[in-house]
Amino acid sequence: MPTSQQHQPMKYIFVTGGVVSSLGKGLAASALGTLLELRGLKVIMQKFDPYLNIDPGTMNPYEHGEVYVLDDGAETDLDLGHYERFTHTNLSRLNNLTSGQVYQSVLNKERAGKYQGRTVQVIPHVTNEIKDRIKEVATKMTADVIITEIGGTVGDIEGLPFLEAIRQFGHEIGQGNVLFIHATLVPYIKAAQELKTKPTQQSIAKLREIGIAPHIILCRTEHPLDQDVREKISLFGNVPIEDVIEVRDVKHSIYEVPLKLHEERLDDVVCKQLNLTTHQPDLSKWRHFVQRVIHPTHHVRIGVVGKYIELQDAYKSIYEALTHAGAANDCKVDIVRVDAEAIEKGGPDIYLSGLQGILIPGGFGDRGTEGKILATGYARRVGIPFFGICLGMQIAVIEYARNVCDLPAANSTEFDKATPAPVISMMEEQKKVKQLGGTMRLGNWVTQLTPGTKVHELYQDTIINERHRHRYEVNEEYKDQLESHGLVISGISQKGELAETIELPDHPFFVACQFHPEFSSKPNDPHPIFNGFVKAALQHHSAPEPLC
């Protein structure tokens, strides 16, 4: 892990986006973080989100994608998942700021009389609040470079205070210490058979109206930028031609992005503009990982059974963790997205036969739960490797209680408050909670693993720390009955009152956990459970078919 080069003043990079959303600003920022780390710099990343929610914790996945949970329990934007996967930075709630947090803080100060009777305005009070967060991160987290992504699109009304704040900040810390990078779209018009730069020109002009002149322009495109296009963007963007960076769609994996940006010399340009003295990055390990992702020897088909499967970002970290584990096993993981409600209607065989692994992800609410229970039972009976995460563990307990422990009405009180066999129930401390946002069991909690179990074998340790996000747990009143029928509770909370992992010893691989291991997986350091799951799926794929 890089250590801070104390002799160099801290540098600040701000990444904005124009024309359209979903340009990949977060990925570009993350890839730049990768390259700067490999040059020996200590990098910190943060995200400013203009929406008025305090955090995305109460937002529907269809609105926002997955909620990414940090060590300290902060519920954050999924881009922070990219930041942690692509770099060694360990983020906290300081690294994600929303308009909701900004206005809440300003209004609390106003109510407390902190502004001494002055009129509270966007400038300076809101913009000062935003600048103070940048300064707080710089003070509390040691680094050479802080990369800040500004969410949304230039021109969005809710994003204006953030853009004004970073304009002021850049003015205050001076030239040579701040870099503005603007990501924009260069569309290809098929009828004309040419790339069009006008959207980029207008986006830069909009940014200039706010007072920000970008130093580097990232051009998202489906086709190569020829010299004429680069010169045109350079002219109208008022940047040297070498500062016009092509960001073409990658063919196979998001992990190709750092390699492509290095080919475009983005890291060279950034270091030159910020007067950073570094060595060239050693990309050999990253290239090796990418090669294993693109050209694996083996492949397996793993079904992810959920209710948001049509939405790519709903289970983003799970998909990435499977990719990491696949690469570690020289194996391509073909992810088969299975709608849990479809299983309820058509049965598990039609959707799950031919898979080498079944994963039930986390979630909330009762929609699709019966389909997940059917899928879990299918994996248990047929001997397909199974992995349950958070709700997926609760589903596994319900299925086992119904079909093995002779509790046919077993359920969770989340789905049926009147169930006569509440094998899953709300945690006691959660019963007193009135507000939904930020009140679950969140962040890192210690788990004690039982020696000799599958999870102990995978972790090679008896004490682990993992990130949580849940309100419900395995009901302690049913633990003895579940264990007497063969279910192994292989991990418990530090005080011993909560079941954290379960497994079946006589199954090729049947493991479930209450925490979210997907948030701790990295490209060259896959999470142990995901690694074991993919390895088991690969072995299942290689096993001979049973004789009829």
Side-chain angles (χ1 to χ4, degrees), residues 1 95 124 152 160 166 191 219 251 267 292 394 457 461 477 526:
M1 183 182 298
N95 301 93
L160 290 175
I166 64 173
C219 302
K251 291 183 179 180
D267 47 320
R292 284 181 297 174
Q394 297 170 13
E457 174 192 327
D461 207 341
E477 295 180 7

Side-chain angles (χ1 to χ4, degrees), residues 179-423:
L179 195 66
F180 293 106
I181 298 178
H182 189 54
T184 183
L185 179 68
V186 182
Y188 179 78
I189 305 302
K190 191 173 181 180
Q193 294 189 340
E194 62 179 347
L195 292 166
K196 292 295 183 180
T197 65
K198 190 64 70 178
T200 295
Q201 295 176 40
Q202 293 179 339
S203 181
I204 295 169
K206 193 72 178 174
L207 197 59
R208 281 185 182 150
E209 288 176 13
I210 300 165
I212 297 173
H215 300 94
I216 297 172
I217 301 171
L218 301 182
C219 302
R220 180 71 186 270
T221 177
E222 296 177 351
H223 296 267
L225 300 183
D226 60 29
Q227 187 69 11
D228 288 343
V229 171
R230 288 178 188 260
E231 288 177 353
K232 195 171 185 180
I233 293 172
S234 169
L235 176 65
F236 286 97
N238 199 36
V239 300
I241 194 167
E242 62 265 23
D243 297 346
V244 177
I245 306 296
E246 176 187 289
V247 188
R248 206 185 325 167
D249 295 354
V250 292
K251 291 183 179 180
H252 306 283
S253 167
I254 60 173
Y255 300 106
E256 295 176 80
V257 176
L259 303 177
K260 297 299 183 183
L261 291 182
H262 179 64
E263 289 175 7
E264 284 285 304
R265 299 183 62 254
L266 174 62
D267 47 320
D268 284 333
V269 171
V270 167
C271 290
K272 178 183 176 182
Q273 295 220 22
L274 290 176
N275 300 312
L276 289 166
T277 304
T278 69
H279 56 73
Q280 284 293 314
D282 180 3
L283 290 162
S284 56
K285 290 183 179 179
W286 196 272
R287 291 185 195 279
H288 180 59
F289 168 77
V290 171
Q291 285 303 307
R292 284 181 297 174
V293 172
I294 297 175
H295 302 295
T297 304
H298 312 287
H299 79 277
V300 293
R301 300 176 74 242
I302 289 178
V304 176
V305 182
K307 63 178 180 178
Y308 303 115
I309 48 93
E310 71 275 19
L311 185 65
Q312 169 68 21
D313 288 342
Y315 306 117
K316 183 66 175 176
S317 291
I318 286 175
Y319 297 153
E320 297 308 319
L322 287 170
T323 298
H324 305 160
N329 287 280
D330 192 19
C331 169
K332 175 177 172 53
V333 177
D334 293 322
I335 296 172
V336 180
R337 304 180 193 181
V338 183
D339 187 346
E341 290 182 286
I343 293 177
E344 292 177 358
K345 297 172 184 176
D349 296 62
I350 189 172
Y351 295 102
L352 305 179
S353 62
L355 298 178
Q356 286 82 54
I358 295 172
L359 187 151
I360 309 290
F364 300 91
D366 63 352
R367 183 167 66 85
T369 54
E370 292 300 323
K372 295 173 188 177
I373 290 169
L374 288 171
T376 304
Y378 180 87
R380 179 179 59 80
R381 294 190 310 273
V382 177
I384 299 174
F386 171 86
F387 185 14
I389 297 174
C390 197
L391 175 63
M393 178 176 126
Q394 297 170 13
I395 291 291
V397 169
I398 294 169
E399 191 281 326
Y400 201 80
R402 287 183 183 181
N403 299 307
V404 180
C405 299
D406 197 25
L407 294 171
N411 214 329
S412 167
T413 55
E414 180 183 5
F415 314 138
D416 181 4
K417 295 186 184 303
T419 176
V423 292

Side-chain angles (χ1 to χ4, degrees), residues 447-464 488-492 500-503 509-513 515 527-529 532:
T447 295
Q448 303 174 69
L449 303 181
T450 303
T453 58
K454 173 60 74 172
V455 288
H456 177 255
E457 174 192 327
L458 295 172
Y459 279 93
Q460 292 292 297
D461 207 341
T462 55
I463 301 294
I464 61 171
V488 174
I489 299 176
S490 51
I492 57 174
E500 292 280 11
T501 64
I502 63 168
E503 56 187 72
F509 189 98
F510 193 102
V511 173
C513 55
F515 45 80
H527 189 279
I529 304 183

